[in-house]
Short mmCIF file of all heavy atoms in Angstrom, two decimals:
data_model
loop_
_atom_site.label_atom_id
_atom_site.label_comp_id
_atom_site.label_asym_id
_atom_site.label_seq_id
_atom_site.Cartn_x
_atom_site.Cartn_y
_atom_site.Cartn_z
N LYS A 1 90.64 -60.83 88.49
CA LYS A 1 90.99 -61.87 87.52
C LYS A 1 90.98 -61.24 86.14
O LYS A 1 90.16 -60.39 85.84
CB LYS A 1 89.98 -63.01 87.60
CG LYS A 1 90.35 -64.22 86.77
CD LYS A 1 89.41 -65.37 87.07
CE LYS A 1 89.83 -66.60 86.34
NZ LYS A 1 89.47 -66.64 84.94
N PHE A 2 91.92 -61.68 85.32
CA PHE A 2 92.02 -61.18 83.96
C PHE A 2 91.57 -62.25 82.97
O PHE A 2 91.84 -63.44 83.17
CB PHE A 2 93.46 -60.75 83.65
CG PHE A 2 93.98 -59.71 84.61
CD1 PHE A 2 95.03 -60.00 85.46
CD2 PHE A 2 93.40 -58.45 84.67
CE1 PHE A 2 95.50 -59.05 86.35
CE2 PHE A 2 93.86 -57.50 85.55
CZ PHE A 2 94.92 -57.80 86.40
N THR A 3 90.90 -61.85 81.92
CA THR A 3 90.42 -62.77 80.89
C THR A 3 91.58 -63.63 80.38
O THR A 3 92.68 -63.12 80.14
CB THR A 3 89.81 -61.98 79.72
OG1 THR A 3 88.72 -61.20 80.22
CG2 THR A 3 89.32 -62.90 78.62
N GLY A 4 91.31 -64.93 80.26
CA GLY A 4 92.32 -65.85 79.73
C GLY A 4 93.23 -66.44 80.78
O GLY A 4 94.01 -67.34 80.47
N GLU A 5 93.15 -65.98 82.01
CA GLU A 5 93.98 -66.53 83.08
C GLU A 5 93.17 -67.52 83.88
O GLU A 5 91.97 -67.34 84.10
CB GLU A 5 94.53 -65.41 83.96
CG GLU A 5 95.49 -64.51 83.21
CD GLU A 5 96.18 -63.48 84.10
OE1 GLU A 5 95.93 -63.48 85.32
OE2 GLU A 5 96.96 -62.70 83.55
N ILE A 6 93.82 -68.58 84.33
CA ILE A 6 93.14 -69.65 85.05
C ILE A 6 92.71 -69.20 86.45
O ILE A 6 91.61 -69.48 86.89
CB ILE A 6 94.04 -70.90 85.15
CG1 ILE A 6 94.27 -71.45 83.74
CG2 ILE A 6 93.43 -71.95 86.06
CD1 ILE A 6 95.32 -72.53 83.68
N ALA A 7 93.58 -68.53 87.14
CA ALA A 7 93.29 -68.13 88.52
C ALA A 7 93.43 -66.62 88.67
O ALA A 7 94.10 -65.96 87.88
CB ALA A 7 94.23 -68.84 89.48
N GLY A 8 92.83 -66.11 89.71
CA GLY A 8 92.93 -64.69 90.00
C GLY A 8 93.75 -64.47 91.25
O GLY A 8 94.53 -65.33 91.66
N ALA A 9 93.58 -63.32 91.85
CA ALA A 9 94.33 -62.95 93.05
C ALA A 9 93.41 -62.18 93.98
O ALA A 9 92.40 -61.65 93.56
CB ALA A 9 95.53 -62.09 92.67
N TRP A 10 93.78 -62.13 95.25
CA TRP A 10 93.04 -61.30 96.20
C TRP A 10 93.54 -59.87 96.07
O TRP A 10 94.61 -59.63 95.52
CB TRP A 10 93.19 -61.81 97.63
CG TRP A 10 94.61 -61.95 98.09
CD1 TRP A 10 95.36 -63.10 98.08
CD2 TRP A 10 95.47 -60.94 98.59
NE1 TRP A 10 96.62 -62.86 98.55
CE2 TRP A 10 96.73 -61.53 98.87
CE3 TRP A 10 95.34 -59.58 98.83
CZ2 TRP A 10 97.81 -60.81 99.37
CZ3 TRP A 10 96.42 -58.88 99.33
CH2 TRP A 10 97.63 -59.49 99.59
N LEU A 11 92.76 -58.93 96.58
CA LEU A 11 93.20 -57.54 96.59
C LEU A 11 92.66 -56.82 97.81
O LEU A 11 91.61 -57.17 98.35
CB LEU A 11 92.80 -56.81 95.31
CG LEU A 11 91.34 -56.48 95.04
CD1 LEU A 11 90.91 -55.20 95.73
CD2 LEU A 11 91.12 -56.32 93.55
N LEU A 12 93.41 -55.83 98.24
CA LEU A 12 93.01 -54.91 99.30
C LEU A 12 93.11 -53.50 98.72
O LEU A 12 94.12 -53.16 98.12
CB LEU A 12 93.93 -55.03 100.52
CG LEU A 12 93.91 -56.36 101.25
CD1 LEU A 12 95.01 -56.39 102.31
CD2 LEU A 12 92.55 -56.59 101.90
N ALA A 13 92.06 -52.71 98.90
CA ALA A 13 92.05 -51.36 98.36
C ALA A 13 91.63 -50.38 99.46
O ALA A 13 90.93 -50.75 100.40
CB ALA A 13 91.09 -51.26 97.18
N ALA A 14 92.08 -49.15 99.32
CA ALA A 14 91.72 -48.10 100.26
C ALA A 14 91.35 -46.84 99.50
O ALA A 14 91.92 -46.54 98.45
CB ALA A 14 92.89 -47.81 101.21
N LYS A 15 90.39 -46.11 100.05
CA LYS A 15 89.99 -44.84 99.45
C LYS A 15 90.98 -43.78 99.89
O LYS A 15 91.21 -43.58 101.08
CB LYS A 15 88.57 -44.47 99.86
CG LYS A 15 88.00 -43.34 99.06
CD LYS A 15 86.53 -43.21 99.29
CE LYS A 15 85.97 -42.19 98.31
NZ LYS A 15 84.53 -42.04 98.50
N VAL A 16 91.57 -43.11 98.92
CA VAL A 16 92.54 -42.06 99.18
C VAL A 16 92.06 -40.82 98.44
O VAL A 16 91.88 -40.86 97.22
CB VAL A 16 93.95 -42.47 98.71
CG1 VAL A 16 94.94 -41.35 98.93
CG2 VAL A 16 94.40 -43.74 99.40
N ASN A 17 91.83 -39.74 99.17
CA ASN A 17 91.26 -38.52 98.60
C ASN A 17 89.93 -38.87 97.94
O ASN A 17 89.04 -39.35 98.60
CB ASN A 17 92.24 -37.84 97.65
CG ASN A 17 93.52 -37.43 98.36
OD1 ASN A 17 93.50 -36.97 99.49
ND2 ASN A 17 94.65 -37.64 97.71
N ASP A 18 89.81 -38.69 96.63
CA ASP A 18 88.54 -38.98 95.95
C ASP A 18 88.57 -40.26 95.14
O ASP A 18 87.65 -40.51 94.36
CB ASP A 18 88.17 -37.81 95.02
CG ASP A 18 87.82 -36.57 95.79
OD1 ASP A 18 87.30 -36.70 96.92
OD2 ASP A 18 88.04 -35.46 95.28
N GLY A 19 89.61 -41.08 95.28
CA GLY A 19 89.70 -42.30 94.50
C GLY A 19 90.16 -43.49 95.32
O GLY A 19 90.44 -43.37 96.51
N TRP A 20 90.22 -44.62 94.68
CA TRP A 20 90.63 -45.86 95.32
C TRP A 20 91.99 -46.28 94.79
O TRP A 20 92.28 -46.10 93.61
CB TRP A 20 89.61 -46.96 95.03
CG TRP A 20 88.32 -46.78 95.75
CD1 TRP A 20 87.26 -46.03 95.36
CD2 TRP A 20 87.98 -47.35 97.01
NE1 TRP A 20 86.26 -46.10 96.30
CE2 TRP A 20 86.67 -46.91 97.33
CE3 TRP A 20 88.63 -48.19 97.91
CZ2 TRP A 20 86.01 -47.28 98.48
CZ3 TRP A 20 87.97 -48.56 99.06
CH2 TRP A 20 86.68 -48.11 99.35
N VAL A 21 92.80 -46.85 95.67
CA VAL A 21 94.10 -47.40 95.27
C VAL A 21 94.17 -48.85 95.72
O VAL A 21 93.64 -49.21 96.78
CB VAL A 21 95.30 -46.61 95.86
CG1 VAL A 21 95.35 -45.20 95.33
CG2 VAL A 21 95.28 -46.62 97.36
N ILE A 22 94.80 -49.67 94.91
CA ILE A 22 95.09 -51.04 95.31
C ILE A 22 96.30 -50.98 96.21
O ILE A 22 97.39 -50.60 95.78
CB ILE A 22 95.34 -51.95 94.09
CG1 ILE A 22 94.08 -52.03 93.24
CG2 ILE A 22 95.77 -53.34 94.56
CD1 ILE A 22 94.27 -52.75 91.93
N VAL A 23 96.11 -51.31 97.48
CA VAL A 23 97.19 -51.26 98.45
C VAL A 23 98.08 -52.48 98.31
O VAL A 23 99.30 -52.39 98.32
CB VAL A 23 96.63 -51.16 99.89
CG1 VAL A 23 97.74 -51.23 100.91
CG2 VAL A 23 95.83 -49.88 100.05
N GLN A 24 97.46 -53.64 98.15
CA GLN A 24 98.22 -54.88 97.99
C GLN A 24 97.32 -55.90 97.30
O GLN A 24 96.11 -55.90 97.48
CB GLN A 24 98.71 -55.41 99.33
CG GLN A 24 99.72 -56.52 99.19
CD GLN A 24 100.33 -56.94 100.52
OE1 GLN A 24 99.86 -56.57 101.59
NE2 GLN A 24 101.38 -57.71 100.44
#
């Protein structure tokens, strides 16, 4: 969720190499 926004969103993330990426 971002400041000032009423609603947020779901997220799916995966660890790739040494970091995380938002897959969807």
Side-chain angles (χ1 to χ4, degrees):
K1 187 171 185 282
F2 303 115
T3 300
E5 294 187 1
I6 295 170
W10 55 263
L11 70 83
L12 296 172
K15 192 167 188 180
V16 178
N17 299 320
D18 292 330
W20 288 85
V21 295
I22 296 173
V23 175
Q24 192 173 12

